[in-house]
Amino acid sequence: LTQFTPAGMEVVPTNSLERIYAVFVLVFAFIVFSSFLSNITASVNELRQLSLKHDKNMALLRKYLRFNRISSNLGLRIVKYVEYRESTKKQEVRHADVSFLSMLSTQLHMELVQETYQPTI
């Protein structure tokens, strides 16, 4: 533990076996930390790409509205509606999105469909 803290105690290896152990611990810690940092970086980049795609589509929509001289009132309503639909689209889960549902037996599948659509029938 004192190897990883900035103001540690003066604990040092005293023989060859302890030095080898300390080196292995440091190498292992570097590998674990690098893996952790790599996963965080990949996640942040993925989120950035998703956000970039959304921002690019919204900018394209605004450019289209400006280019075609759409009134600001109608343009604002369109942009707000698109943002609303995007937010609701993220919340809903469709039958086709769940791959495990294809493994259900016919009976289970029929019961699922019945309970899913029963409130609207």
Side-chain angles (χ1 to χ4, degrees), residues 56-70:
K56 188 176 180 180
N57 285 334
M58 290 304 288
L60 193 59
L61 173 62
R62 288 186 180 100
K63 184 177 180 180
Y64 173 83
L65 296 173
R66 263 194 324 272
F67 181 78
N68 289 296
R69 293 185 179 91
I70 305 300

Side-chain angles (χ1 to χ4, degrees), residues 21-105:
Y21 177 76
V23 168
F24 279 128
V25 167
L26 279 172
V27 169
F28 179 73
F30 282 134
I31 291 171
V32 169
F33 179 74
S34 298
S35 174
F36 177 72
L37 190 61
S38 172
N39 286 338
I40 290 176
T41 303
S43 297
V44 168
N45 282 337
E46 186 176 342
L47 287 174
R48 186 176 291 144
Q49 289 297 324
L50 290 173
S51 177
L52 181 67
K53 182 179 178 182
H54 177 264
D55 292 345
K56 188 176 180 180
N57 285 334
M58 290 304 288
L60 193 59
L61 173 62
R62 288 186 180 100
K63 184 177 180 180
Y64 173 83
L65 296 173
R66 263 194 324 272
F67 181 78
N68 289 296
R69 293 185 179 91
I70 305 300
S71 68
S72 59
N73 184 27
L74 178 60
L76 181 62
R77 287 175 39 215
I78 291 171
V79 168
K80 291 292 182 188
Y81 181 77
V82 168
E83 288 174 346
Y84 166 75
R85 288 295 296 156
E86 277 288 311
S87 68
T88 58
K89 189 171 92 174
K90 290 177 187 174
Q91 294 173 356
E92 64 187 41
V93 179
R94 296 178 312 200
H95 187 277
D97 295 336
V98 184
S99 62
F100 284 147
L101 292 179
S102 65
M103 293 189 296
L104 294 177
S105 68

